[in-house]
Amino acid sequence: MLESFDLQAELSACAQPDTYDVPYEDEFANKGTNDLLEAAVEAVAENSDSIRDEETLDVYRYLLKNAATTPGVVMGKLLDSISSGLKAELEATVRDVESGEQEAYMSHKLPLELYAFLLAWFAKASERVKSGDDDGPAPPKPKRGRGGRTASRNVGKRTETWSWQSQIPDTLNLILKVLKLQTQRIWTNTPDKNSFLTAITRPAYAVSENPQFMKSAEIRHAVYEVLCIAVKSHGQAMALTIHVTQSLQFMGEHMAEPMAECLYRLSTKYDHSQTGDEVLREIAGRTFTGQDNKTPRAFATFLVTYAELYPRAAHRQLALLINQQDSDAYPLRQAIIEILGCLIRELSQSLEDEGDDKKKIQNEIVGMFEQIIDRILDNNSYVRTKIFTVLSRICDIPNVKFPKQRLKMTSLAVMALEDKSSTVRKSALSLLIKLLETHPYGHAYGGLLQREDWTKDYEEVQKQLQKVDSLGDAVANAEEETQTQEDEQPKKKKKKPKKEKSEVDMDVDGEADGEGEGDEEEDDVGGDTEEDEPNEMSVDEDGEDEDGRRPRKQKLQPRKSQINVDAITQEQEVLAHMEHNDLVKMKLRKKYCKEAINFIHQMEMAIEVIVKLLGSKNKFEVLEAIDFFKAAHEYRITGAQEGIRKMLHLIWTKDNNTTTTEDGKELKGIRQKLLECYKILYFDPVEDLEPRAQISRIAKNLIERTYEATLAELTSLEEMMRIMMEENYIHRDIIAKLWQIYSVPQRIPTEQRRGSIIILGMLGIAKPLDVLHPQIDLMLKVGLGKQGKIDLTLARYTCVALQRLNGSAKKVKGSLEDKTKRLPMDHPVFKKLLSTVVHTCRSVDWFGLAEQVINTVYALGEHPDEFCNTLIKQLAQRVWNNPRSAKPDQSQSQSQTGPSQQEGGQGDDAMDEDQPGDATQISDQLATQASGISAAPRTQSDDVADCFELSQLLFVVGHVAIKQLVFLELVEREWKRQKEVKEAAEKAAAGTTGGKDAKDKQADELDQVAGNAEDEIGDQISAIREAEMLGDNSLLGVFAPMIVQICGSPHKFKNRTLRAACHLSLCKLLCVSSTFTDKHHRLLFKILETSKDPNIRANSVIALGDVAVSFNTIIDENSGDLYKGLLDADPRVKKTTLMVLTHLILNGMIKVKGQLGEMAKCVEDEDVRIQDLAKLFFSELSTKENAIYNNLPDIISHLSSGVNATDEDKFESTMKYIFTFIEKEKQAEAIVEKLCQRFRLTEEPRQWRDIAFCLSLLPFKSERSVKKLIEGLQFYRDKLHEPKVFERFQQILDKARQNKSKDKPDAELDEFEKILEENRAQGAEDQALQNRVAKKAKKRAKAAGRGRGKKAAAAAAEEEE
């Protein structure tokens, strides 16, 4: 029997089971494990004290040492035996302790230690037992060869029958019973007692380190109880402290939350917070490095979790923890910010209780806010993101609004919208949304934030206060004048540029500095904006002294000026009639309004930046921007409507997938989110509104979307309406209401009627049979009837709606099938269209109408050429057969000036006038600009009327030509379809008689893939285009020479409208026939070069792009002239040219011949849109293999030298962008060699500096790049005396030394640096010598000049003599 047992030594030894020595181990190995265990179990079961028997103890130790090979069933029996023995021994010990006999209970010391030792070892050994439910280490691979399969089968059998995880709760409960012993009576020696406690609690510590076990609530709570009782009743605080810190350091982040919960339970349930405080002090004193983020992240998670569970502990240790705010590890900085936010939320709840400490708490909260805000300039984006996340949570605190701090938050969030990190911008957006939704200005105007209302209220309160103050005018006080100036600032604030944070704060918080009487009353409120609760205190009451502002002046401070006693007496009498509280409320109301105006102003400033964020590539950022505009629209923030309009373009976003964030939130796709936002804003029903009013409201919202909409916005709105209609979101009652508005006979605003048909046309794309077909007669009656003649824009949009009668069935690529249904030419639609377009009219809106009439005819008519034949002839007859009006009246010349005329009956016909308000429709203006036509005032000449009518005729000729070309393609496709059907029928008939052989089948397949080489149908169509459309006998060919003549003779034909119409027609005719194009395309280049109208120049560029697509060989020879548009002074022409060239180059329609330099200049253009287009071009060009690399020398030459060279700053910024596309190491090496050789061909220092700068942009990651640079020394050694050139080479050396590759040539770099320095010094000396020689040469020249002058004077004197 054992008489002594060194528990501490045995615990240390069993940690290494391979080296642990068990007596008689060899004998045990020859026996079966079941037999061994049975004898030991029986002995312990008979008497728990039998564990002292060495043979029994050795059996247990042998099985634990070989736990990896011991069957799971045996391990289960082993645990049961140890547990039952310990339980029996524990019960016996308790009885003896109660009896009080020392000798009796002291005899249990050794058995308890042995059982504690075995239980501790079992908890450790269980990790090596492979069980199904246990998440221990991975099982060893089965042996290969003989016995391998059997071994793995035995392991599987073992794991199915036993699980350590299921036994853990019972084991921990047994340990809890053991810990209830009075250990100090049994173990009188402290080291022995600590050894026993270490052994008995070790299973709990081991279980706590396994994340799989800690997922079970039962196990987790049992572990917490064991650890807490060990600390509370047995003084094991140091052990727990060490375990927590070491677990966080070595075990990882999964230990953070369990340890925090354990300390929280210890502090609350067991009233022992010292251990938690000690852990916090230990963490506060640690130093964390920035290289390792794993360990700091675990400590940070622990700190945040513990602070959220038990804020008091974090508050007590805040003075020490705050030092980690400057830690190199960013997770610790994040944790401190979260702790501060948690403490603010905790302390703010105590503000509701009145007490003496309220002032102190307010000061603490203000200080915590300052600590958070000071970190906004942290260099780590994760920390900046965490700041806005914490501030957003603070905004959710009920009843406490922190008005002053809210204004600071708003200012910070607005600035952060331009942060370089998308996560920071997204968090700033979230904060702005939260600030809007929880703003403290809800006591007026129903919480709406319209600047006009708040400004009006502010001015009214200010006038009331001025009336009171005016009674004391006799008192000369300079402070009152200062206050008046300060009160005027909010009115002008909107026009001021964006202020710094401190200025915004001064505007808000400095209001009370000069209020005169009532300062202290306002001080009591401390900036609280809730006017109905004047006695409620705010958190930021004392924040002004801490912010560095000057202290408030005392209320009773004597004034320096003379005091008018009579005036003071009069003022006191008046104020006596006014209650003191009323005056205080007025002052509070003034401050309340001022803070609201400041808040609104900052939100309006944010909108401009957030509109840009709608185009971000980061999905989360875009979703937050959508949410912001939705919230801003609901609170009526000025400018929110612009963001709602810009959001429309997101309908084209391809991303429509729902994703899940890290915190489990579902994020919808951008397009899905956009549709949901528009449905909420404009479609969802409003409470307490009857159904009919709901329908009218939705219809009105739809129509208002078209007001002042650009062409791009209308296109995006059309796509949105199509999607909503396909999803059956538009109710038929809404469609009926839109038709009612369109056809109402009463006089209504023209925008409403136009908007209704625009929306109906959009809805008709998805379901034309339901929306448009039943109302064809109504459209003819209204849009092409009397109303259409009065309002040409209405008629134009009616034509657009008629074109949608065929729906949106898109042609399948490669398919010859055409699902378009066409109408016979005697249909009433075409009669109405003809009568509408030939009606006499002199408004420029006619051109847009005529364009859509022709489009409608070609979209719906079976033989549109017949209609156009009639139309052209009638217009021609009107031009040459009608009698001319010698002097048109003044009303007609006024009606021609444009679409902004007022309605009236001054002309012969209502068509001479246009509806009021057209100038407000941006889309209408764009339609006119797209046509390239601007009206010119009529002069008092005989041919003015004919000029306009001739413009109409020639415009129609050009548009008919281009539409007929498109129609011919449809005819070609239809002929091919008919031919295919015919051949298929013949083959089917032939197939009934016999099958085809393999060769015939193969030939058919080849014909289907490649088509017939000799395409007879295609040749026929080409012949029609070349010979018939513009031939001598064709109707269009009659007018073609006239159009060329007018375009080529601007000095003869000076009418602006006529020239614009002819130019458009010429552009369209050039796309028809290659013969005509070859003959007249130079005229288009001439117009591009000489025209003074930017619209004509822009249209010329577009036309040249179209011609390049149609007839590539003709334009490719003159493609260099196309780049001249990039030098145009007008940004519209430049932008158009850039777009056309981008399309042509990226699609391989023209070859780049060294002209990319001009496009590179656009990267630094003044117009942001041109910059973005140029960057998009180069980013797309970089995807084509070596495209930028091959053209890089030409780009450098073009930007650095020559007539069109840019300045150095623009050159550097442009090349810095372009060199980002040089990513291949081989390309970089070749560029080094080429640039070095370029030095010898240049003589200007400017070019030397440019080449050196380009070299410094290369990465120099490889040894070959450095060698190429060193080998090229001979080309630039004489240029190193130039300071900038030498500086660039120094930068290259630094970059090469930073390379971490193994082959870095350090010795060569050092030698190269010395050579550079020597050559720089030598070059400087040579330059100095050259300068001296030049100076001497100048002096000699001057001296020689003087000598020649003297000789000449002497010779002249001799001649006179």
Side-chain angles (χ1 to χ4, degrees):
M1 300 291 285
L2 281 176
E3 296 298 331
S4 65
F5 186 76
D6 190 349
L7 181 58
Q8 187 63 40
E10 292 293 323
L11 286 174
S12 301
C14 72
Q16 301 292 332
D18 295 337
T19 60
Y20 189 88
D21 184 30
V22 178
Y24 311 112
E25 184 174 0
D26 296 335
E27 296 180 9
F28 293 154
N30 297 325
K31 297 180 181 180
T33 53
N34 280 322
D35 298 334
L36 282 173
L37 185 60
E38 285 295 336
V41 168
E42 288 179 4
V44 171
E46 290 178 3
N47 184 6
S48 60
D49 195 50
S50 300
I51 196 67
R52 294 171 57 190
D53 184 5
E54 292 187 16
E55 185 177 353
T56 303
L57 179 63
D58 289 344
V59 169
Y60 283 106
R61 290 193 289 185
Y62 170 76
L63 294 175
L64 290 173
K65 178 181 179 180
N66 298 280
T69 58
T70 303
V73 178
V74 174
M75 292 297 291
K77 291 180 180 180
L78 177 62
L79 177 62
D80 292 340
S81 175
I82 296 173
S83 300
S84 59
L86 177 59
K87 185 176 180 181
E89 190 68 25
L90 176 64
E91 292 173 352
T93 306
V94 170
R95 287 193 301 268
D96 291 342
V97 169
E98 290 176 353
S99 66
E101 296 183 8
Q102 183 178 6
E103 185 178 351
Y105 61 71
M106 286 297 290
S107 64
H108 297 287
K109 176 183 176 183
L110 184 57
L112 288 175
E113 288 181 349
L114 293 173
Y115 281 117
F117 166 72
L118 293 176
L119 195 59
W121 195 352
F122 185 90
K124 189 70 176 176
S126 64
E127 297 177 0
R128 293 181 289 157
V129 179
K130 291 76 180 178
S131 62
D133 299 329
D134 197 352
D135 190 32
K141 295 181 180 179
K143 299 177 182 178
R144 293 185 179 181
R146 184 179 300 176
R149 187 173 300 177
T150 307
S152 42
R153 187 162 55 242
N154 291 337
V155 170
K157 189 179 295 184
R158 181 171 74 237
T159 58
E160 291 175 2
T161 55
W162 182 78
S163 170
W164 162 233
Q165 184 172 353
S166 62
Q167 304 296 321
I168 291 176
D170 295 335
T171 304
L172 294 176
N173 289 328
L174 178 60
I175 294 174
L176 283 174
K177 293 178 181 179
V178 174
L179 290 175
K180 292 179 182 179
L181 276 175
Q182 298 178 15
T183 54
Q184 69 277 6
R185 299 181 66 178
I186 303 174
W187 289 273
T188 56
N189 189 1
T190 302
D192 293 343
K193 184 184 74 170
N194 289 337
S195 297
F196 172 74
L197 291 171
T198 300
I200 201 65
T201 56
R202 179 166 290 186
Y205 285 117
V207 170
S208 70
E209 295 173 359
N210 191 310
Q212 187 67 30
F213 295 159
M214 296 301 284
K215 290 179 180 179
S216 170
E218 184 182 9
I219 295 176
R220 190 167 61 248
H221 293 154
V223 169
Y224 296 162
E225 288 295 319
V226 169
L227 300 182
C228 291
I229 291 177
V231 172
K232 180 68 176 176
S233 302
H234 302 283
Q236 294 296 300
M238 181 61 69
L240 181 59
T241 302
I242 294 172
H243 175 70
V244 170
T245 53
Q246 289 186 350
S247 298
L248 294 175
Q249 184 170 3
F250 301 111
M251 300 299 295
E253 194 173 352
H254 71 272
M255 293 293 295
E257 292 186 9
M259 292 298 98
E261 291 175 3
C262 180
L263 292 178
Y264 170 65
R265 176 172 293 200
L266 180 63
S267 301
T268 54
K269 184 176 179 179
Y270 294 95
D271 193 23
H272 185 91
S273 59
Q274 294 89 333
T275 303
D277 293 345
E278 181 62 30
V279 171
L280 292 180
R281 287 193 291 269
E282 170 74 18
I283 296 174
R286 281 176 174 261
T287 301
F288 298 92
T289 62
Q291 288 74 25
D292 176 28
N293 287 329
K294 185 178 179 181
T295 301
R297 192 177 290 113
F299 279 97
T301 306
F302 169 80
L303 287 174
V304 172
T305 307
Y306 189 50
E308 289 175 349
L309 292 172
Y310 195 51
R312 292 182 183 180
H315 191 202
R316 286 195 299 266
Q317 305 301 327
L318 184 61
L320 296 175
L321 290 173
I322 204 70
N323 295 328
Q324 291 292 351
Q325 203 166 23
D326 296 322
S327 172
D328 292 339
Y330 77 86
L332 266 298
R333 304 202 295 273
Q334 284 182 301
I336 298 303
I337 290 168
E338 284 205 69
I339 291 172
L340 290 171
C342 179
L343 293 179
I344 290 174
R345 294 196 300 273
E346 179 70 17
L347 293 174
S348 62
Q349 295 176 2
S350 60
L351 286 175
E352 300 177 8
D353 305 327
E354 297 291 338
D356 298 335
D357 294 338
K358 189 172 184 179
K359 200 78 165 178
K360 180 181 177 182
I361 293 174
Q362 289 176 348
N363 292 338
E364 281 191 73
I365 292 178
V366 171
M368 291 176 186
F369 267 114
E370 290 177 354
Q371 291 280 358
I372 294 174
I373 291 172
D374 286 345
R375 298 305 307 179
I376 198 63
L377 299 178
D378 196 290
N379 58 4
N380 189 283
S381 62
Y382 294 115
V383 179
R384 300 197 298 274
T385 302
K386 182 62 69 176
I387 289 173
F388 292 111
T389 304
V390 169
L391 292 176
S392 297
R393 293 177 191 161
I394 292 174
C395 291
D396 287 327
I397 300 175
N399 303 326
V400 184
K401 295 296 185 180
F402 309 111
K404 290 183 181 179
Q405 280 74 20
R406 276 177 170 269
L407 292 171
K408 292 180 182 179
M409 292 184 209
T410 309
S411 176
L412 291 174
V414 173
M415 288 191 294
L417 291 175
E418 299 183 84
D419 195 281
K420 63 181 181 180
S421 170
S422 61
T423 55
V424 178
R425 298 194 298 266
K426 184 249 181 189
S427 299
L429 275 169
S430 301
L431 176 59
L432 287 174
I433 295 170
K434 186 65 69 176
L435 288 167
L436 261 180
E437 293 174 346
T438 61
H439 73 80
Y441 312 109
H443 293 280
Y445 309 111
L448 300 181
L449 297 173
Q450 289 179 298
R451 173 187 281 272
E452 295 77 11
D453 295 338
W454 287 95
T455 305
K456 182 180 178 182
D457 197 3
Y458 177 83
E459 291 172 352
E460 289 178 359
V461 176
Q462 189 178 13
K463 288 178 182 178
Q464 293 176 7
L465 287 172
Q466 284 176 350
K467 288 180 182 179
V468 178
D469 295 340
S470 64
L471 298 174
D473 284 344
V475 182
N477 185 8
E479 293 180 0
E480 294 179 358
E481 297 176 1
T482 305
Q483 176 62 27
T484 305
Q485 294 174 2
E486 291 178 357
D487 290 343
E488 292 297 327
Q489 286 181 3
K491 301 179 185 177
K492 303 177 182 178
K493 190 176 293 184
K494 187 174 181 180
K495 299 179 182 179
K496 291 184 179 182
K498 184 175 178 180
K499 296 184 176 183
E500 297 295 330
K501 179 179 71 172
S502 59
E503 293 176 348
V504 175
D505 295 341
M506 288 296 291
D507 286 343
V508 178
D509 303 331
E511 173 66 28
D513 289 348
E515 287 287 347
E517 292 195 25
D519 279 352
E520 290 188 0
E521 290 84 354
E522 220 171 301
D523 218 8
D524 290 340
V525 179
D528 193 348
T529 57
E530 299 188 10
E531 55 171 356
D532 297 330
E533 301 176 11
N535 296 324
E536 184 175 327
M537 297 186 69
S538 170
V539 172
D540 24 46
E541 186 172 349
D542 293 342
E544 292 164 2
D545 293 340
E546 295 180 12
D547 288 344
R549 301 184 178 90
R550 64 175 185 271
R552 298 178 184 271
K553 296 183 178 180
Q554 295 295 327
K555 186 174 98 174
L556 300 177
Q557 183 179 1
R559 297 172 180 173
K560 297 179 181 179
S561 57
Q562 286 288 58
I563 299 176
N564 190 329
V565 179
D566 295 336
I568 293 176
T569 304
Q570 183 182 4
E571 182 179 0
Q572 290 175 346
E573 291 176 356
V574 173
L575 293 178
H577 297 286
M578 181 182 292
E579 292 186 8
H580 179 69
N581 287 340
D582 293 339
L583 185 59
V584 172
K585 285 185 177 181
M586 287 173 61
K587 291 180 180 292
L588 289 177
R589 181 70 176 172
K590 179 181 176 182
K591 188 172 184 180
Y592 184 73
C593 293
K594 185 174 183 180
E595 290 180 349
I597 292 171
N598 197 344
F599 178 73
I600 295 169
H601 172 64
Q602 293 188 42
M603 285 294 174
E604 291 173 353
M605 288 167 54
I607 285 176
E608 183 179 353
V609 184
I610 300 174
V611 166
K612 298 178 182 177
L613 295 182
L614 286 171
S616 172
K617 295 181 180 179
N618 186 284
K619 174 182 177 179
F620 307 109
E621 202 173 347
V622 176
L623 294 177
E624 289 293 338
I626 292 174
D627 284 334
F628 173 83
F629 282 117
K630 183 176 72 173
H633 180 270
E634 291 172 352
Y635 287 98
R636 309 284 177 83
I637 300 289
T638 305
Q641 199 62 36
E642 179 189 359
I644 298 293
R645 283 184 178 275
K646 296 294 184 183
M647 280 163 49
L648 262 177
H649 302 312
L650 297 174
I651 196 67
W652 304 105
T653 307
K654 295 180 180 179
D655 171 43
N656 198 34
N657 300 322
T658 301
T659 56
T660 305
T661 59
E662 295 178 355
D663 44 351
K665 293 182 180 178
E666 279 196 358
L667 288 179
K668 298 181 179 178
I670 293 176
R671 192 170 69 180
Q672 191 177 355
K673 182 78 173 179
L674 173 68
L675 291 170
E676 179 186 289
C677 176
Y678 264 77
K679 288 173 184 177
I680 292 173
L681 293 179
Y682 301 119
F683 289 88
D684 283 359
V686 179
E687 295 181 0
D688 303 328
L689 204 63
E690 60 179 7
R692 182 177 296 180
Q694 298 279 16
I695 296 297
S696 299
R697 170 184 161 274
I698 295 172
K700 180 185 176 185
N701 287 337
L702 288 175
I703 291 173
E704 286 178 349
R705 296 313 100 220
T706 64
Y707 292 175
E708 300 183 6
T710 63
L711 188 60
E713 290 168 355
L714 285 176
T715 306
S716 299
L717 181 63
E718 179 181 292
E719 179 67 9
M720 177 179 286
M721 292 296 102
R722 182 190 66 79
I723 294 173
M724 286 188 170
M725 192 67 188
E726 288 179 349
E727 295 177 355
N728 297 319
Y729 204 83
I730 310 294
H731 196 271
R732 61 177 180 272
D733 292 342
I734 300 174
I735 298 173
K737 184 65 179 178
L738 291 170
W739 281 119
Q740 180 186 345
I741 296 171
Y742 174 70
S743 60
V744 64
Q746 290 83 7
R747 186 179 180 84
I748 62 173
T750 55
E751 292 86 356
Q752 286 189 17
R753 204 184 299 270
R754 294 175 187 171
S756 61
I757 192 61
I758 291 173
I759 296 295
L760 287 167
M762 294 174 179
L763 299 177
I765 294 176
K767 296 183 179 181
L769 294 177
D770 297 337
V771 180
L772 298 176
H773 272 274
Q775 304 294 343
I776 292 178
D777 294 338
L778 183 61
M779 285 190 280
L780 299 182
K781 179 182 177 182
V782 178
L784 300 181
K786 182 179 178 181
Q787 292 287 351
K789 292 179 181 179
I790 296 173
D791 185 1
L792 297 186
T793 306
L794 177 67
R796 176 159 64 88
Y797 284 123
T798 302
C799 292
V800 174
L802 287 170
Q803 295 169 30
R804 272 71 184 270
L805 288 173
N806 282 319
S808 61
K810 296 183 179 179
K811 175 184 175 294
V812 180
K813 187 174 181 180
S815 173
L816 299 176
E817 185 178 1
D818 188 3
K819 297 181 180 180
T820 304
K821 296 180 180 179
R822 296 186 173 271
L823 304 176
M825 298 312 297
D826 57 354
H827 196 278
V829 170
F830 302 114
K831 295 179 182 178
K832 274 290 186 179
L833 289 172
L834 184 61
S835 64
T836 301
V837 76
V838 299
H839 193 87
T840 304
C841 175
R842 295 197 174 279
S843 171
V844 291
D845 286 343
W846 180 93
F847 294 95
L849 170 61
E851 180 181 2
Q852 293 304 329
V853 166
I854 296 171
N855 291 347
T856 306
V857 172
Y858 274 94
L860 301 179
E862 289 183 346
H863 301 287
D865 49 330
E866 296 178 1
F867 177 94
C868 295
N869 187 40
T870 305
L871 174 60
I872 292 174
K873 288 181 180 179
Q874 289 191 18
L875 292 177
Q877 289 174 1
R878 188 167 70 184
V879 171
W880 282 290
N881 294 344
N882 284 356
R884 302 181 183 182
S885 55
K887 291 185 179 181
D889 58 28
Q890 187 66 22
S891 64
Q892 288 180 337
S893 57
Q894 288 177 357
S895 68
Q896 189 187 353
T897 57
S900 60
Q901 304 300 319
Q902 299 297 321
E903 185 177 4
Q906 296 173 344
D908 294 336
D909 195 289
M911 288 287 284
D912 290 341
E913 295 285 334
D914 200 13
Q915 279 296 90
D918 287 355
T920 63
Q921 288 268 9
I922 299 176
S923 59
D924 298 341
Q925 294 178 7
L926 286 180
T928 304
Q929 291 173 7
S931 300
I933 295 173
S934 56
R938 299 177 62 188
T939 58
Q940 303 295 323
S941 61
D942 290 345
D943 62 346
V944 170
D946 289 336
C947 279
F948 194 81
E949 291 172 354
L950 183 61
S951 303
Q952 293 174 319
L953 169 63
L954 298 181
F955 173 81
V956 169
V957 168
H959 197 60
V960 167
I962 200 71
K963 295 304 293 185
Q964 185 66 21
L965 186 63
V966 176
F967 185 71
L968 281 176
E969 294 177 356
L970 297 177
V971 171
E972 179 182 3
R973 191 173 68 184
E974 177 61 20
W975 285 357
K976 289 181 178 179
R977 187 190 66 80
Q978 293 177 2
K979 181 179 179 182
E980 189 181 69
V981 170
K982 182 180 178 181
E983 290 178 353
E986 292 176 355
K987 291 176 182 178
T992 57
T993 59
K996 296 182 180 180
D997 57 12
K999 292 184 178 180
D1000 292 336
K1001 288 183 180 180
Q1002 187 176 3
D1004 290 340
E1005 290 173 1
L1006 289 174
D1007 287 341
Q1008 290 176 4
V1009 174
N1012 192 349
E1014 298 177 359
D1015 189 357
E1016 297 178 359
I1017 296 176
D1019 293 342
Q1020 291 178 6
I1021 297 297
S1022 298
I1024 293 172
R1025 287 179 57 177
E1026 293 293 335
E1028 297 185 18
M1029 282 188 65
L1030 295 180
D1032 296 335
N1033 297 326
S1034 69
L1035 184 62
L1036 299 178
V1038 172
F1039 298 100
M1042 186 187 304
I1043 291 171
V1044 173
Q1045 178 67 18
I1046 294 173
C1047 290
S1049 307
H1051 56 286
K1052 292 183 181 179
F1053 304 96
K1054 297 182 179 180
N1055 185 281
R1056 229 171 38 183
T1057 306
L1058 177 61
R1059 283 192 286 121
C1062 286
H1063 178 262
L1064 265 182
S1065 295
L1066 175 65
C1067 294
K1068 294 172 181 177
L1069 292 176
L1070 286 172
C1071 295
V1072 174
S1073 167
S1074 60
T1075 305
F1076 184 84
T1077 304
D1078 191 28
K1079 190 175 181 181
H1080 299 293
H1081 73 279
R1082 291 304 308 172
L1083 175 59
L1084 205 56
F1085 282 109
K1086 186 67 176 177
I1087 293 172
L1088 173 61
E1089 186 178 348
T1090 59
S1091 176
K1092 296 180 181 179
D1093 189 343
N1095 284 331
I1096 290 180
R1097 298 200 301 273
N1099 284 337
S1100 299
V1101 174
I1102 296 173
L1104 288 169
D1106 293 338
V1107 173
V1109 175
S1110 301
F1111 312 110
N1112 181 267
T1113 54
I1114 296 176
I1115 295 298
D1116 196 42
E1117 299 172 357
N1118 306 283
S1119 60
D1121 295 335
L1122 196 54
Y1123 289 86
K1124 293 180 180 178
L1126 295 174
L1127 301 174
D1128 199 287
D1130 192 281
R1132 289 175 295 175
V1133 181
K1134 186 184 293 187
K1135 177 171 171 281
T1136 304
T1137 306
L1138 184 58
M1139 291 175 66
V1140 169
L1141 286 171
T1142 298
H1143 172 67
L1144 295 177
I1145 293 173
L1146 294 180
N1147 288 286
M1149 296 173 184
I1150 61 173
K1151 297 178 181 178
V1152 180
K1153 301 176 181 177
Q1155 300 97 339
L1156 281 186
E1158 282 300 328
M1159 300 192 75
K1161 284 183 183 177
C1162 297
V1163 172
E1164 290 298 320
D1165 196 86
E1166 297 176 356
D1167 193 323
V1168 178
R1169 295 175 301 173
I1170 295 177
Q1171 287 184 23
D1172 294 340
L1173 276 172
K1175 290 178 179 179
L1176 176 64
F1177 165 75
F1178 280 105
S1179 63
E1180 291 295 325
L1181 187 64
S1182 65
T1183 60
K1184 298 184 179 296
E1185 188 174 1
N1186 297 335
I1188 292 182
Y1189 166 75
N1190 293 336
N1191 290 278
L1192 191 59
D1194 295 328
I1195 295 175
I1196 296 174
S1197 299
H1198 193 89
L1199 296 180
S1200 180
S1201 61
V1203 182
N1204 299 318
T1206 61
D1207 55 59
E1208 283 194 65
D1209 292 338
K1210 285 188 176 181
F1211 174 86
E1212 291 180 1
S1213 58
T1214 302
M1215 297 313 300
K1216 193 172 183 179
Y1217 173 76
I1218 291 177
F1219 266 79
T1220 58
F1221 301 111
I1222 304 299
E1223 298 175 346
K1224 297 179 180 178
E1225 191 61 36
K1226 290 185 178 180
Q1227 291 181 352
E1229 294 167 9
I1231 291 173
V1232 171
E1233 185 176 5
K1234 290 180 180 180
L1235 289 176
C1236 289
Q1237 293 177 358
R1238 186 179 283 261
F1239 272 111
R1240 65 178 179 178
L1241 304 176
T1242 58
E1243 297 179 357
E1244 294 295 327
R1246 155 71 197 277
Q1247 295 181 33
W1248 303 343
R1249 295 193 294 270
D1250 290 344
I1251 297 171
F1253 175 77
C1254 292
L1255 279 170
S1256 68
L1257 294 175
L1258 294 169
F1260 291 95
K1261 292 181 179 179
S1262 69
E1263 182 183 0
R1264 291 189 296 273
S1265 297
V1266 178
K1267 287 185 177 180
K1268 294 278 187 185
L1269 183 68
I1270 297 174
E1271 290 171 0
L1273 177 65
Q1274 56 181 327
F1275 302 123
Y1276 55 80
R1277 63 195 314 163
D1278 56 335
K1279 279 83 174 177
L1280 292 172
H1281 65 273
E1282 182 70 24
K1284 272 287 183 182
V1285 175
F1286 184 76
E1287 181 184 342
R1288 298 300 181 193
F1289 277 94
Q1290 289 292 333
Q1291 294 175 3
I1292 294 171
L1293 281 172
D1294 294 339
K1295 190 179 292 187
R1297 286 194 174 107
Q1298 291 173 3
N1299 181 20
K1300 297 180 180 179
S1301 65
K1302 298 179 181 178
D1303 301 330
K1304 184 171 62 173
D1306 292 324
E1308 294 180 14
L1309 288 174
D1310 294 338
E1311 184 181 355
F1312 181 56
E1313 184 176 16
K1314 293 178 183 177
I1315 295 173
L1316 287 178
E1317 185 63 39
E1318 292 173 1
N1319 282 278
R1320 184 189 69 82
Q1322 182 65 40
E1325 293 177 4
D1326 294 345
Q1327 188 67 24
L1329 177 61
Q1330 188 176 350
N1331 292 337
R1332 289 196 299 269
V1333 171
K1335 286 181 181 179
K1336 289 181 179 180
K1338 287 182 180 179
K1339 289 180 180 179
R1340 289 173 185 168
K1342 288 181 180 179
R1346 293 194 198 101
R1348 285 194 297 270
K1350 290 178 181 179
K1351 289 181 181 180
E1358 289 178 0
E1359 289 180 2
E1360 289 177 0
E1361 290 176 0

